[in-house]
Amino acid sequence: MSVKASSAKDVVLARVREALQVPAPPPHLKSHDLQEAAGISNARPAGAVGTFKPLSIAPLDVARPWLPEGGQTPEERMHILCDNLKRLKAEFHRACHLQAAAELIFSIARQRDWQRVAYHRHELVDPVASALHCATVCIGEPASFDKRALEQCDAGITACESLVAQTGSILVSSATCGGRSLSILPPVHIVIAHIDQIVATLEDALHDAKVRHAGRMPSMLSFITGPSRTGDIERILVLGAHGPKELIVVLVGESP
Amino acid sequence: MSVHDATTKAALPAEAKNQFLHDAAEHVRDIDHRSFVRKALGGYYVTRDSQKAKYRDWEHARDAAALAKWSAVNRLDELLPLFVTNFEAGGGIVHFARDAQEARTIIVDLVRASNAKAIIKSKCMTTEEIHLNDALEKEGYVVVESDLGEFIQQLRGEPPYHFVFPCMHVRRGEISDLFQKHLGTEPTQSPEELTMIARRYMRQLYVDADVGITGANFLVAETGQISITENEGNARLTAALPRVHIALSGIEKVVASLADLAVLLPMLATAGTGQPMTCYNTLYSGPQKNDEPDGPREMHLVLLDNARTAILADPEQRDSLHCIRCGACLNVCPIFKNVGGFTYGTTYQGPIGSVITPHLRGLSDWNHLSSASSLCGACTDACPVRIDIHHHLLHNRRNAVRASPKRLEHIGHQLFAFVAARPWLFAAGGKLFRWSLGFLKKIRPPLLRQWLETRDLPPAPPKSFRQLWKERS
Ligand code: SF4
């Protein structure tokens, strides 16, 4: 880093420290307990500087009971997830085993006359990709990555890290789901997942990702919530702005 | 891009107030435009309310969101360095910028060093704040805005009308004409087809671009990731295909942990557009890793101060840094709905823009925005992170008066205090005023004239309130 840049850093950090010498009152909250907790964090001995204490209650612990429901049991979670995906205009399928999923995608590809489909190596994706009638592009080795070839594909098939019932989101990562572009560049994104991958809330999905990648986060983690959309023209909803127009989710496994 | 109207206004700050009054008057007369904008917002109210109903209690969730931002902003001295350390561990490079000029220089230098030919950009209000596109274009680079709304505004040569819905004031017919003129496409009245035109046009640009520029919605200190929220997928593409990814963010976007995002992400979506979650919420921790198939080779993050530390130093208004730019306060603001986004002449429109712009650009020239409020408090009620927006407008008014006291107003107040403390004088004054009202209406003295221009003055009642009260008992 250049000398100039590091000095800008020092200047800005010094300004921040200086600015925070005077405490700011907590926001006016609805909950009295929270108001109290916030007050405790904010209190500091006279003359002390920069002694704002971290909150004794995590905001998430406060919010948890009030956020949209994610479901207590696997059945509930499955139900909420389906419902959310439907609202988001994602296509949703169940398959009792991987073979059935492969047949399903095969027939969709046939029906729509897909010429080329991209995928990545994964135990849930491989059988589906190898059953296809059309050409396939495997996204894997960095050296062989060809964005122009991927742009020509009709669909991309990926696995996912988890599915979030609460919001209908699908968490993908650059490490486990074929990198960054596979799930966003082709006009159709197909997700093959196992029903055990359904989690209740965003919190659970983030927590699991943190544990799974233990200290080495993938360079990208993305919550995909429905197919790409825009409302920029007269606030009218249009699907497929820049990302996939269609999101097809196939859940493999017997009913929970 | 050609000159931005609003930025020209900014260049002549002494005229900012007059410009505001003029534009507001013009806009208020444009009933078609106003009803068009209201109709667009009508859909927003419906979806927002139905999504809010999914929260078991929205008000408690707001408490949590407010606390998350409040504790992060008040611990910025600790969390910002922590974020920087963690982010750099992921292989990205951090650059600090004290002001807009420094940020522009850093980014232009980075673009130059990467030998870029084509630059693609996803929506980022902070780049609007520092007028990045102008700076890059001056250096001869072509910058394409990939967000549909921003792209339309770029072709129109206008800044965004609303910082979440950039072209909400534009009709589909105008967009069709615009595309016909610039892209040579066939005219169409279908929003769907118009969107597809932009999609097709942009595809190749993503693939060809060498540099992608994005913003950031949150900086997660715990893990050193930046979080980007978007609906279209353009930011995902911008951060996936080009060789170099440059992100620009204000320093106030830091949050403590990933768990905070589990609260803030859904609330941002619900307050902003009425969605359960925005379509893509993506966390980036650096450039492509060795074992990942694709992604940029370099990632740079420019952290901008630009008067944010000045707001931080004001404990009374520090909470205006909690803003997550959801736009909810604009959508409910009676002033925004009547004067429109351009009238503000600021990067950030609406109530929150009126609070922070005087800090960013000087209270003396931008204080008129504090008066552009009915103080109804709709903004404060709408804010997912509980910023006390309308009180801050009052604070700004107070500060402006303190900085340059208004003699005439002061004398007026003192006179009133004197009269009001003496009932006989008050009664006499009232009588005099009732008696002279018709007369005043005719001669229209300067102070009253402005008021009478758009309003009617009813005739004075024959008796005062105090008289009526006495007769009643
Ligand atoms: S001030 Fe509050 S309501 Fe307005 S944009 Fe910021 S977060 Fe949203």
Side-chain angles (χ1 to χ4, degrees):
Chain A
M1 207 183 279
S2 70
V3 179
K4 198 176 156 229
S6 69
S7 79
K9 177 178 176 178
D10 294 343
V11 171
V12 174
L13 290 179
R15 285 180 188 167
V16 169
R17 279 191 301 273
E18 171 76 29
L20 287 174
Q21 298 210 347
V22 185
H28 297 293
L29 303 175
K30 182 180 177 185
S31 145
H32 296 292
D33 293 354
L34 284 181
Q35 196 80 59
E36 209 168 300
I40 295 168
S41 286
N42 211 26
R44 51 185 96 183
V49 166
T51 45
F52 185 93
K53 293 182 266 323
L55 290 166
S56 55
I57 311 182
L60 179 61
D61 291 334
V62 178
R64 198 176 288 118
W66 312 113
L67 293 174
E69 208 123 19
Q72 302 294 326
T73 63
E75 290 81 15
E76 269 175 33
R77 288 196 276 274
M78 172 67 94
H79 181 78
I80 297 173
L81 177 72
C82 291
D83 194 49
N84 278 328
L85 285 171
K86 220 176 285 156
R87 271 172 224 275
L88 291 162
K89 305 196 188 321
E91 200 177 314
F92 175 73
H93 299 277
R94 296 280 309 270
C96 39
H97 43 71
L98 212 45
Q99 181 63 34
E103 281 162 21
L104 176 76
I105 299 303
F106 173 84
S107 67
I108 292 176
R110 199 4 94 71
Q111 204 182 351
R112 307 203 191 174
D113 197 25
W114 284 344
Q115 301 299 313
R116 208 184 310 174
V117 172
Y119 73 103
H120 67 103
R121 301 302 308 270
H122 188 277
E123 55 180 10
L124 287 175
V125 178
D126 286 334
V128 176
S130 58
L132 287 170
H133 71 288
C134 60
T136 53
V137 176
C138 181
I139 304 292
E141 285 306 303
S144 64
F145 179 76
D146 178 354
K147 52 186 173 183
R148 283 165 217 284
L150 180 60
E151 206 274 321
Q152 298 297 315
C153 289
D154 298 297
I157 310 179
T158 74
C160 71
E161 300 232 327
S162 51
L163 303 108
V164 184
Q166 184 184 39
T167 55
S169 308
I170 290 150
L171 181 64
V172 299
S173 88
S174 52
T176 57
C177 308
R180 297 192 186 194
S181 344
L182 180 57
S183 55
I184 194 78
L185 191 56
V188 180
H189 178 203
I190 300 170
V191 180
I192 314 285
H194 194 271
I195 51 169
D196 291 346
Q197 289 177 279
I198 302 175
V199 298
T201 60
L202 291 170
E203 174 191 3
D204 298 338
L206 286 166
H207 177 81
D208 290 356
K210 222 160 68 176
V211 172
R212 186 176 311 120
H213 299 288
R216 191 178 182 273
M217 278 290 188
S219 73
M220 183 204 81
L221 270 173
S222 186
F223 286 103
I224 300 174
T225 311
S228 153
R229 62 196 59 210
T230 183
D232 276 343
I233 301 175
E234 299 190 5
R235 309 282 336 119
I236 295 166
L237 177 70
V238 175
L239 296 184
H242 295 284
K245 288 189 193 70
E246 287 175 69
L247 175 64
I248 303 176
V249 182
V250 185
L251 272 183
V252 181
E254 297 291 347
S255 280
Chain B
M1 195 47 26
S2 54
V3 192
H4 282 178
D5 292 341
T7 61
T8 328
K9 283 180 216 162
L12 305 163
E15 289 170 16
K17 180 180 174 180
N18 290 335
Q19 185 78 49
F20 181 93
L21 291 172
H22 173 265
D23 291 0
E26 288 278 289
H27 197 98
V28 164
R29 251 172 278 182
D30 189 348
I31 295 185
D32 264 5
H33 181 119
R34 277 163 54 203
S35 53
F36 181 72
V37 167
R38 272 166 199 265
K39 193 176 148 225
L41 288 174
Y44 159 81
Y45 300 139
V46 175
T47 41
R48 177 204 58 188
D49 288 348
S50 72
Q51 184 54 38
K52 262 191 191 172
K54 292 255 167 93
Y55 286 72
R56 281 168 281 178
D57 184 46
W58 175 254
E59 292 304 319
H60 273 95
R62 279 177 81 200
D63 278 359
L67 267 188
K69 285 297 294 189
W70 174 72
S71 63
V73 164
N74 281 284
R75 275 169 72 202
L76 201 59
D77 51 344
E78 185 192 323
L79 294 180
L80 185 58
L82 177 66
F83 167 78
V84 170
T85 309
N86 287 338
F87 179 79
E88 285 180 334
I93 299 167
V94 173
H95 309 260
F96 275 83
R98 281 163 280 201
D99 52 28
Q101 174 60 47
E102 192 165 27
R104 284 193 297 266
T105 311
I106 292 169
I107 296 176
V108 169
D109 287 349
L110 286 172
V111 169
R112 201 179 291 129
S114 68
N115 281 321
K117 283 178 204 68
I119 305 170
I120 192 108
K121 219 177 131 241
S122 74
K123 184 171 176 351
C124 165
M125 287 311 296
T126 319
T127 61
E128 296 282 340
E129 179 185 328
I130 67 166
H131 303 307
L132 179 64
N133 288 8
D134 291 344
L136 286 168
E137 275 152 16
K138 221 171 273 160
E139 295 294 314
Y141 295 105
V142 179
V143 189
V144 181
E145 290 286 349
S146 57
D147 174 83
L148 179 58
E150 293 281 340
F151 179 58
I152 291 168
Q153 287 310 92
Q154 190 182 30
L155 292 181
R156 287 170 64 90
E158 282 177 347
Y161 181 92
H162 175 302
F163 60 71
V164 177
F165 312 140
C167 67
M168 67 178 297
H169 64 304
V170 188
R171 284 155 215 267
R172 58 183 92 173
E174 296 171 81
I175 298 170
S176 169
D177 293 348
L178 194 71
F179 284 179
Q180 207 177 344
K181 180 169 149 215
H182 291 276
L183 313 176
T185 50
E186 292 298 311
T188 167
Q189 286 295 319
S190 141
E192 165 120 38
E193 272 172 44
L194 289 168
T195 304
M196 291 312 130
I197 291 172
R199 178 187 171 101
R200 279 194 296 274
Y201 175 76
M202 220 63 85
R203 288 249 115 186
Q204 212 50 49
L205 299 181
Y206 289 118
V207 177
D208 292 340
D210 315 286
V211 172
I213 300 178
T214 70
N217 295 79
F218 301 101
L219 312 171
V220 187
E222 171 198 25
T223 54
Q225 292 165 302
I226 71 170
S227 173
I228 301 180
T229 295
E230 49 137 359
N231 262 318
E232 299 185 358
N234 58 320
R236 283 273 318 261
L237 288 163
T238 303
L241 299 170
R243 267 186 290 122
V244 179
H245 175 193
I246 303 173
L248 172 68
S249 169
I251 51 171
E252 83 285 12
K253 305 260 172 90
V254 175
V255 294
S257 67
L258 275 182
D260 290 340
L261 289 190
V263 181
L264 290 165
L265 294 178
M267 294 192 66
L268 168 61
T270 303
T273 54
Q275 290 173 272
M277 275 278 267
T278 316
C279 210
Y280 300 100
N281 283 285
T282 312
L283 290 154
Y284 295 100
S285 63
Q288 169 186 15
K289 293 209 150 71
N290 298 336
D291 50 355
E292 295 174 353
D294 62 344
R297 293 293 148 78
E298 281 172 41
M299 178 174 181
H300 299 271
L301 175 63
V302 181
L303 292 175
L304 178 68
D305 178 350
N306 207 28
R308 284 163 175 78
T309 46
I311 304 180
L312 195 68
D314 177 357
E316 192 173 56
Q317 296 198 19
R318 189 176 292 162
D319 73 350
S320 58
L321 294 176
H322 299 181
C323 178
I324 55 176
R325 304 277 186 263
C326 70
C329 54
L330 281 67
N331 300 342
V332 299
C333 177
I335 306 298
F336 177 84
K337 284 188 277 190
N338 282 313
V339 307
F342 291 145
T343 302
Y344 290 86
T346 57
T347 308
Y348 306 104
Q349 310 80 9
I352 188 66
S354 300
V355 171
I356 60 177
T357 306
H359 289 277
L360 300 178
R361 295 191 188 167
L363 185 59
S364 53
D365 296 321
W366 294 91
N367 179 51
H368 60 280
L369 295 178
S370 325
S371 303
S373 166
S374 61
L375 299 178
C376 66
C379 47
T380 306
D381 280 347
C383 181
V385 289
R386 290 202 190 280
I387 300 174
D388 202 355
I389 308 170
H390 71 293
H391 281 114
H392 292 335
L393 294 173
L394 276 175
H395 296 146
N396 277 349
R397 291 185 193 179
R398 180 202 62 204
N399 295 346
V401 170
R402 272 191 195 153
S404 53
K406 290 195 173 136
R407 288 270 307 286
L408 200 65
E409 236 177 72
H410 189 62
I411 294 173
H413 286 151
Q414 279 188 327
L415 195 69
F416 178 77
F418 183 81
V419 173
R422 291 162 181 80
W424 63 272
L425 197 56
F426 191 83
K431 208 172 213 168
L432 181 71
F433 186 68
R434 282 199 304 284
W435 176 77
S436 62
L437 202 61
F439 182 61
L440 284 173
K441 222 161 125 180
K442 244 174 242 142
I443 61 163
R444 297 162 79 91
L447 270 178
L448 206 59
R449 190 173 309 150
Q450 216 185 356
W451 197 85
L452 280 171
E453 252 166 32
T454 48
R455 299 170 187 88
D456 195 22
L457 196 58
K463 288 177 185 170
S464 74
F465 175 76
R466 296 202 305 172
Q467 274 171 318
L468 290 172
W469 185 258
K470 232 180 238 158
E471 285 170 19
R472 193 174 158 267
S473 52

